[in-house]
Amino acid sequence: MEKLTKEAEMQMIEEIDALVRRAGRVIRDARPGGDAIHKKQGDANFVTDYDVQIQRELIAGLHKILPEASFFGEEDTEGNSHDTSGWCFYIDPIDGTTNFMFDYHHSCVSVGLSYAGEMLAGFVYNPYVEEMYLAIKGEGAFLNGRKLSLSDVPLNEGIAAFGCARYNADCTEEFFQVIRELFQRSLSIRDRGSAALDLCSIASGNNVCYFEIKLQPYDYAAAALMIEEAGGVITQMDGSPITLDGPCSIAAGTGSAHKELLEIVKERLL
Ligand code: IPD
Ligand code: CA
Ligand code: CA
């Protein structure tokens, strides 16, 4: 990792890991009721008091670990600066807020770290099943300490995942044509309500690909490194590199499934 000794890097990884697990326990133990849920801009878009509280705690804790870093987090809290030019943490305090509101037990904390626009580390933690995905640039992707390395499974031999949000309803007709095609060409399709977990599930071999028309860097920064370090591919839907300073479309998968996904998107959507 740039600018840090190996020892300092490992110490930092351990401290962030502990912080992310603590944030996950808040999600796991919470029971969000009516008063804690608030409407955000756009259709079917919500924030709970827990999203805000967890982001505040993560920013405070991460600031102590790396004081030079800025923060690109989902919620509008103090310290959220969206400056990606130097060290930057990408924070989604709860990815899968709608799942969280309805007690689905499928949400996670996602924290990514970049330096000058290059992802260096990613942490995605699902507290309900105590699964910690960790990616370190150049060293690999790990699930609870087990190194992940994906095989080049084609689309017709795996599960195709996708995400869609009512508040990002662009090209809905064309989008679902792509999903219909994925349904017909894969073993099965899923929208499990947490983009970060579905992307990490490519790294661990549960999903063969993932597609969504618009996501924010805090949704995918950590998981993108996970996929790349495990040997998969992640791009925008036209095949161009993903962006870390603003939203973009996400098409990810094993090499073969990603290639086929891009062909389907080109046929049906672009
Ligand atoms: C959402 C989830 C969902 C994806 C949406 C995201 P949030 O994040 O990742 O799976 O389809 O586009 O906005 O709002 O739960 O943090
Ligand atoms: Ca999210
Ligand atoms: Ca969120």
Side-chain angles (χ1 to χ4, degrees):
M1 195 174 286
E2 291 185 50
K3 296 202 172 238
L4 291 178
T5 62
K6 194 79 207 142
E7 205 175 300
E9 174 192 318
M10 285 328 290
Q11 159 114 16
M12 183 168 83
I13 298 285
E14 271 174 33
E15 286 173 7
I16 299 173
D17 183 287
L19 203 62
V20 169
R21 284 176 196 270
R22 212 174 309 140
R25 284 194 288 274
V26 177
I27 297 179
R28 191 195 57 201
D29 297 342
R31 292 291 169 269
D35 286 359
I37 299 171
H38 314 280
K39 182 93 189 60
K40 271 172 129 174
Q41 210 184 357
D43 287 342
N45 195 11
F46 299 94
V47 59
T48 72
D49 291 342
Y50 294 96
D51 297 71
V52 176
Q53 177 202 331
I54 292 169
Q55 180 167 303
R56 276 209 189 101
E57 287 171 7
L58 283 170
I59 289 183
L62 293 167
H63 178 69
K64 280 191 196 142
I65 296 171
L66 193 57
E68 309 92 295
S70 59
F71 296 93
F72 192 154
E74 175 167 11
E75 311 306 339
D76 191 14
T77 65
E78 206 179 311
N80 200 16
S81 47
H82 291 208
D83 174 5
T84 58
S85 59
W87 294 101
C88 181
F89 282 109
Y90 301 84
I91 303 178
D92 196 338
I94 305 180
D95 186 55
T97 293
T98 308
N99 283 352
F100 175 65
M101 281 161 47
F102 290 96
D103 229 5
Y104 251 62
H105 289 200
H106 187 76
S107 305
C108 65
V109 183
S110 176
V111 171
L113 173 63
S114 70
Y115 183 78
E118 190 193 358
M119 285 309 300
L120 298 178
F123 304 75
V124 176
Y125 181 55
N126 178 347
Y128 300 105
V129 289
E130 296 187 9
E131 285 187 343
M132 172 65 87
Y133 288 89
L134 164 67
I136 305 174
K137 175 82 183 173
E139 292 183 27
F142 305 85
L143 171 54
N144 287 349
R146 176 174 60 88
K147 193 160 187 177
L148 301 174
S149 170
L150 52 84
S151 341
D152 192 23
V153 179
L155 182 56
N156 66 356
E157 288 180 19
I159 293 175
F162 67 97
C164 50
R166 292 273 320 285
Y167 45 88
N168 290 327
D170 290 356
C171 312
T172 302
E173 285 303 321
E174 296 84 343
F175 174 75
F176 280 104
Q177 282 182 30
V178 172
I179 303 310
R180 182 195 168 100
E181 200 71 26
L182 289 174
F183 168 67
Q184 286 169 334
R185 294 203 206 177
S186 68
L187 294 181
S188 193
I189 54 170
R190 303 275 186 278
D191 173 3
R192 297 192 296 168
S194 163
L197 286 176
D198 263 333
L199 288 167
C200 285
S201 298
I202 294 173
S204 54
N206 305 117
N207 289 333
V208 79
C209 67
Y210 184 85
F211 178 54
E212 184 151 3
I213 281 196
K214 186 178 180 190
L215 282 172
Q216 298 285 343
Y218 44 75
D219 294 308
Y220 55 74
L225 187 61
M226 215 72 64
I227 290 176
E228 286 174 348
E229 286 294 325
V233 186
I234 180 165
T235 64
Q236 297 191 44
M237 63 183 172
D238 62 0
S240 60
I242 61 168
T243 52
L244 287 175
D245 52 356
C248 68
S249 60
I250 290 291
T254 63
S256 302
H258 174 262
K259 190 162 168 271
E260 199 170 340
L261 171 59
L262 290 196
E263 283 163 12
I264 296 170
V265 170
K266 196 167 173 196
E267 225 169 85
R268 302 283 170 182
L269 205 148
L270 292 181

